[in-house]
């Protein structure tokens, strides 16, 4: 009986913690304006990890250290907080990774989604996510011919396990995104306000390492409830 009571209490505590992190949003106040992202309940490992880091002020003062026009903006390298101008960034981490949570075809790399960066397949064949580095997708609008080529690329990189559905293709044609990343990087949220800020950041002038020439910084990140 005692074991049953303890197990029940443990399960209840897990359910309480899960309920407390459902419906979470994060406000990123940056030097270019505010970006609000809603975190997906369908990816609880990434959601809860991100909420924990934000609540512990991990992202405050970090740079968007990697920006590629018509592709994405990336942040979360802890070494970027006090980095000198021109220093190459992107290798910083916090000592652990997260199991991938691919949720295709419902959640994919359309414009404005929030996703976890990771090490490449050569050193990370399980495609586990960085615990701290993330990117926000901008991408481009794709033609039908583009998407046919992307599907061929996906067939090679995922062994045919990722198929762009008609609904996904329609979104990529009309709204844009980065379909070649589907099924390989975990998407765990989406921008609900401030997509124009993302657009402005991804147009920044960058050096040979894709770091913005003029620092673009997350001033503060805070958790809110939607």
């Amino acid at each position: 009986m005692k074991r049953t009571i303890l197990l029940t209490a443990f399960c209840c505590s897990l359910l309480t913690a899960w309920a407390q992190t459902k419906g979470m949003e994060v406000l990123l106040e940056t030097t270019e304006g505010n970006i609000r992202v809603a975190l997906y309940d369908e990816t609880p490992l990434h959601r809860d990890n991100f909420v924990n880091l934000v609540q512990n002020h991990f992202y405050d003062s970090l740079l968007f250290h990697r920006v590629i026009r018509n592709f994405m903006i990336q942040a979360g390298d802890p070494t970027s907080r006090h980095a000198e101008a021109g220093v190459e960034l992107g290798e910083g981490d916090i000592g652990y990774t997260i199991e991938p949570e691919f949720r295709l075809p419902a959640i994919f790399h359309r414009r404005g989604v929030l996703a976890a960066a990771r090490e490449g397949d050569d050193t990370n064949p399980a495609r586990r996510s960085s615990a701290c580095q993330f990117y926000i997708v901008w991408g481009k609008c794709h033609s039908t011919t583009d998407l046919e080529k992307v599907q061929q690329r996906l067939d090679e990189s995922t062994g045919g396990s990722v198929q762009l559905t008609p609904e996904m293709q329609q979104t990529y044609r009309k709204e844009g995104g980065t379909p070649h990343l589907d099924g390989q990087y975990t998407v765990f949220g989406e921008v609900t306000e401030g997509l124009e800020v993302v657009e402005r950041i991804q147009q920044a002038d960058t050096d040979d390492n894709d770091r913005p020439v003029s620092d673009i910084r997350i001033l503060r990140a805070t958790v809110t409830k939607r």
Side-chain angles (χ1 to χ4, degrees), residues 36-50:
R36 189 182 300 275
V37 293
L39 306 181
Y40 293 146
D41 296 328
E42 294 86 349
T43 52
L45 298 178
H46 287 73
R47 176 200 63 200
D48 293 354
N49 178 74
F50 197 64

Side-chain angles (χ1 to χ4, degrees), residues 8-56:
T8 301
F10 175 69
C11 291
C12 287
S13 66
L14 285 180
L15 288 172
T16 299
W18 179 72
Q20 289 175 342
T21 53
K22 284 189 68 177
M24 287 293 187
E25 289 187 335
V26 169
L27 177 64
L28 302 174
E29 299 174 59
T30 84
T31 50
E32 294 296 315
N34 293 348
I35 303 169
R36 189 182 300 275
V37 293
L39 306 181
Y40 293 146
D41 296 328
E42 294 86 349
T43 52
L45 298 178
H46 287 73
R47 176 200 63 200
D48 293 354
N49 178 74
F50 197 64
V51 166
N52 179 62
L53 292 179
V54 171
Q55 289 178 330
N56 283 282

Side-chain angles (χ1 to χ4, degrees), residues 4-129:
T4 302
I5 292 173
L6 289 173
L7 182 60
T8 301
F10 175 69
C11 291
C12 287
S13 66
L14 285 180
L15 288 172
T16 299
W18 179 72
Q20 289 175 342
T21 53
K22 284 189 68 177
M24 287 293 187
E25 289 187 335
V26 169
L27 177 64
L28 302 174
E29 299 174 59
T30 84
T31 50
E32 294 296 315
N34 293 348
I35 303 169
R36 189 182 300 275
V37 293
L39 306 181
Y40 293 146
D41 296 328
E42 294 86 349
T43 52
L45 298 178
H46 287 73
R47 176 200 63 200
D48 293 354
N49 178 74
F50 197 64
V51 166
N52 179 62
L53 292 179
V54 171
Q55 289 178 330
N56 283 282
H57 307 287
F58 173 83
Y59 292 107
D60 296 1
S61 296
L62 296 191
L63 299 178
F64 281 97
H65 65 270
R66 184 170 179 243
V67 170
I68 302 178
R69 191 167 298 192
N70 296 321
F71 183 34
M72 59 88 216
I73 63 175
Q74 183 172 333
D77 181 344
T79 67
S80 72
R81 182 173 283 109
H82 303 296
E84 296 289 336
V87 172
E88 184 176 1
L89 299 168
E91 296 301 317
D93 63 37
I94 51 176
Y96 65 95
T97 57
I98 303 173
E99 180 182 343
E101 296 180 291
F102 305 139
R103 299 294 184 258
L104 294 169
I107 298 174
F108 55 97
H109 278 82
R110 60 186 175 81
R111 178 170 291 172
V113 296
L114 172 73
R118 65 172 178 84
E119 295 292 335
D121 289 358
D122 53 342
T123 59
N124 179 29
R127 294 171 174 165
R128 293 180 65 89
S129 300

